[in-house]
Amino acid sequence: MADTTASRLGQVNATGDVDSLFLKVFSGEILTTFEEQNVMKDLHMVRTISSGKTAQFPVTGIAEANYHTVGEDIVDGSNGYLSTIKHAERTINIDDVLIASTFIANIDELKNHYDVRSIYAKELGKALAKRFDIATMKTLFAAAGGTSPIGGNSGTEVSGATTTTASGLVDSLYAVARSLDEKDAPEDGRFAILTPSQYYTLLTADNVAINRDNGGVGNVAEGSIARVAGINLFKSNHLDSMIGLGDASADASADGSANNDVFGAAGAGYNGDFSALSGTASAKGFLAGTKEAIGTVKLLDLATESEYQIQRQGTLFVAKYAMGHGVLRPECAVKVIPA
């Protein structure tokens, strides 16, 4: 029987590598890059829903204890033994689908002498990670200036901080720890997000934060510092990007994020006035808190699609997600404002 000449879908013009046109690692590159570039993903509450447009987070108040006087009726409200525990809820809406996309013409791929798909995949992943980080950092900033729906503790602002020296940053971090303690915020999982300049100042200025004689935890060789005052430290350029927005409260380009008005202004989405984080000269503020401060609701987790479009003679690549972010417990959020 004669051999059948098959049409190899992965070949260019039926010659050469039979896998040349197949998509190999595009999705994996995006997922990996999103994880590598994203700082906020593991620093707040995340809930996934399978359908719907909102998710509700119950908020419960606290009870009180009182000494009992022999003979008094506990259920008599006038005696003050019964606790009235307040209840409320936080609702987080799903924003519109956020996409990062690119189109690669087939003729350009044929002419090009190096692979661009993995490069473009990384860039799409970075774009989504940046938007996610900045949106959640904006929400954390809003939480630090927010109030409790049941009349509990509000967010915290540490003002007049010195953030250009190692000793000043250490003092600021201890002020953050103190404020969280005073508002009964959880001790587990406390974090602070610093700019790269602030982070490396802690390592290279006077070593006060990593001096093992003082209980410091850091590694100059690796350029890492784990924590100060029980607060885990993270660095992110995305914080610099958010600070650079300045006063964005009048920004009408909220896009699909207008579903969640974290600053209370209708239609503003995550836009607010961040100018307080930009002090004089090179001084900048930073954000801190615990995982309970803000939340994210996912309807569509990070997903990728690709399609060769014969009418356009090229391949469309799309990375996307549908999520929303909102404030949960403002007492668990702190913004540090520079002097």
Side-chain angles (χ1 to χ4, degrees):
M1 181 181 294
D3 293 337
T4 300
T5 301
S7 297
R8 303 305 300 270
L9 303 182
Q11 281 185 323
V12 178
N13 293 328
T15 60
D17 183 4
V18 296
D19 294 325
S20 178
L21 294 179
F22 289 151
L23 185 61
K24 309 175 189 66
V25 295
F26 195 82
S27 178
E29 291 281 358
I30 288 179
L31 296 173
T32 300
T33 304
F34 185 87
E35 296 290 341
E36 288 177 349
Q37 299 292 325
N38 191 284
V39 174
M40 289 294 294
K41 182 174 179 291
D42 297 323
L43 300 181
H44 69 292
M45 306 279 287
V46 179
R47 176 183 292 182
T48 301
I49 59 176
S50 58
S51 60
K53 62 179 183 178
T54 64
Q56 297 169 314
F57 294 79
V59 179
T60 304
I62 60 175
E64 295 180 349
N66 295 285
Y67 288 105
H68 180 248
T69 300
V70 176
E72 287 191 348
D73 188 350
I74 295 176
V75 297
D76 185 344
S78 64
N79 291 330
Y81 293 119
L82 295 179
S83 295
T84 301
I85 301 177
K86 297 179 180 180
H87 290 264
E89 67 178 11
R90 296 282 195 180
T91 300
I92 299 179
N93 303 309
I94 297 295
D95 294 330
D96 292 344
V97 176
L98 183 67
I99 66 170
S101 59
T102 190
F103 181 85
I104 304 177
N106 185 41
I107 187 64
D108 289 345
E109 274 200 292
L110 294 175
K111 291 179 178 179
N112 204 37
H113 65 284
Y114 60 89
D115 173 62
V116 296
R117 293 193 179 196
S118 62
I119 298 173
Y120 286 8
K122 288 182 179 179
E123 292 305 316
L124 297 184
K126 287 180 182 179
L128 289 176
K130 182 175 182 179
R131 287 295 295 266
F132 181 94
D133 260 7
I134 290 179
T136 48
M137 287 178 189
K138 287 178 176 179
T139 307
L140 183 60
F141 181 88
T147 57
S148 170
I150 56 174
N153 291 319
S154 58
T156 301
E157 176 180 314
V158 176
S159 58
T162 300
T163 60
T164 54
T165 65
S167 59
L169 285 166
V170 170
D171 289 343
S172 299
L173 289 165
Y174 272 99
V176 168
R178 184 181 68 250
S179 67
L180 291 174
D181 286 343
E182 290 172 348
K183 297 188 176 181
D184 296 320
E187 292 191 17
D188 293 338
R190 294 183 177 183
F191 65 87
I193 306 163
L194 309 177
T195 67
S197 175
Q198 293 166 345
Y199 187 88
Y200 291 116
T201 294
L202 284 172
L203 280 166
T204 59
D206 52 19
N207 291 333
V208 65
I210 62 173
N211 189 334
R212 295 186 185 276
D213 293 336
N214 297 328
V217 181
N219 191 316
V220 175
E222 294 182 1
S224 64
I225 180 167
R227 59 187 177 274
V228 171
I231 299 172
N232 298 312
L233 303 182
F234 300 87
K235 65 179 185 295
S236 176
N237 264 333
H238 298 159
L239 178 60
D240 262 330
S241 297
M242 191 200 85
I243 294 174
L245 295 174
D247 185 358
S249 57
D251 188 354
S253 60
D255 303 322
S257 65
N259 295 333
N260 291 288
D261 301 314
V262 297
F263 291 94
Y270 307 113
N271 294 324
D273 185 359
F274 311 108
S275 56
L277 289 174
S278 181
T280 59
S282 60
K284 294 180 180 178
F286 62 87
L287 301 174
T290 72
K291 192 172 184 177
E292 294 79 9
I294 64 172
T296 287
V297 176
K298 293 182 180 181
L299 178 62
L300 172 65
D301 206 346
L302 183 63
T304 60
E305 295 176 323
S306 63
E307 178 188 44
Y308 182 78
Q309 300 183 345
I310 192 169
Q311 74 273 27
R312 294 184 174 86
Q313 290 295 292
T315 305
L316 174 66
F317 299 99
V318 177
K320 61 183 181 180
Y321 66 66
M323 305 182 192
H325 319 289
V327 176
L328 296 180
R329 292 183 58 186
E331 70 271 22
C332 295
V334 182
K335 54 183 176 182
V336 177
I337 307 301

